[in-house]
Amino acid sequence: MSTSGMLGGKWGEDAEQRARDLGLRCQQWLPWDEACGFELCADQEKQVTHYGHPATLYLIRRQGKLEAVQLRFRRDDAVWRDVRAGAEKEFGLKKPAAADDGLYQVFKDRSLVRLMKEPPQSMLLTVAGPRFGAFYSDRLLSLGAAGSLNSLSAH
């Protein structure tokens, strides 16, 4: 299994067109990280509803091609349960052991899904294709934030 896209988009498609299709105003794409070549479109005015809850949408591109989607949700117990269950179902993920655990799965092609809580009261869902997924998972490993080696095994 892997991720091939999200919100109707496919990895590798024209990121500007996907932004327009989703109603985002990406007047300026900002570096996601100065050294990696990935850029982020963040339209703080645009909310989308996914898994039944509003979220701020971020698109990530490289060389003009869509590479990942991030959704930032307001965090409370009900939203956490719904988003986690929705991502588990949409991407065929195993349920974490504890109700408070996030999600983190890297697939064989290096695409990934990660759901994590962020301070003070938000959570971030990252769904990435192979190019951004490889960079992102390597970065998490280098920062020591990816969790156990079991959570990193390819599926």
Side-chain angles (χ1 to χ4, degrees):
M1 179 123 197
S2 70
T3 68
S4 58
M6 189 174 183
L7 299 174
K10 300 288 182 201
W11 310 137
E13 76 178 7
D14 182 87
E16 291 278 353
Q17 185 60 51
R18 174 85 332 239
R20 282 190 296 275
D21 292 347
L22 291 168
L24 295 178
R25 292 178 292 140
C26 296
Q27 296 153 348
Q28 181 181 8
W29 289 77
L30 304 171
W32 190 87
D33 178 302
E34 293 297 329
C36 70
F38 291 101
E39 298 174 304
L40 175 77
C41 167
D43 181 351
Q44 299 295 326
E45 303 297 315
K46 176 68 176 172
Q47 294 274 302
V48 296
T49 299
H50 201 61
Y51 306 131
H53 298 280
T56 302
L57 171 63
Y58 305 91
L59 299 183
I60 297 170
R61 73 177 183 183
R62 186 173 189 185
Q63 298 170 331
K65 304 295 183 191
L66 183 64
E67 301 291 347
V69 172
Q70 292 184 311
L71 294 167
R72 184 174 307 282
F73 295 89
R74 175 188 54 80
R75 188 175 84 214
D76 67 30
D77 290 344
V79 176
W80 176 254
R81 282 191 306 272
D82 291 349
V83 171
R84 197 175 79 163
E88 288 168 359
K89 182 177 178 182
E90 183 173 358
F91 299 106
L93 307 177
K94 296 178 205 164
K95 283 188 180 276
D100 208 34
D101 288 349
L103 300 172
Y104 184 70
Q105 183 156 343
V106 180
F107 298 97
K108 287 181 183 177
D109 68 354
R110 304 282 315 263
S111 61
L112 68 80
V113 176
R114 183 175 191 230
L115 175 64
M116 59 182 269
K117 293 179 179 179
E118 293 191 328
Q121 285 296 315
S122 69
M123 60 185 153
L124 185 67
L125 175 65
T126 300
V127 180
R131 290 197 325 165
F132 186 75
F135 165 78
Y136 190 69
S137 63
D138 289 348
R139 181 176 171 157
L140 289 174
L141 278 172
S142 72
L143 297 173
S148 72
L149 290 178
N150 290 336
S151 70
L152 297 176
S153 61
H155 299 296

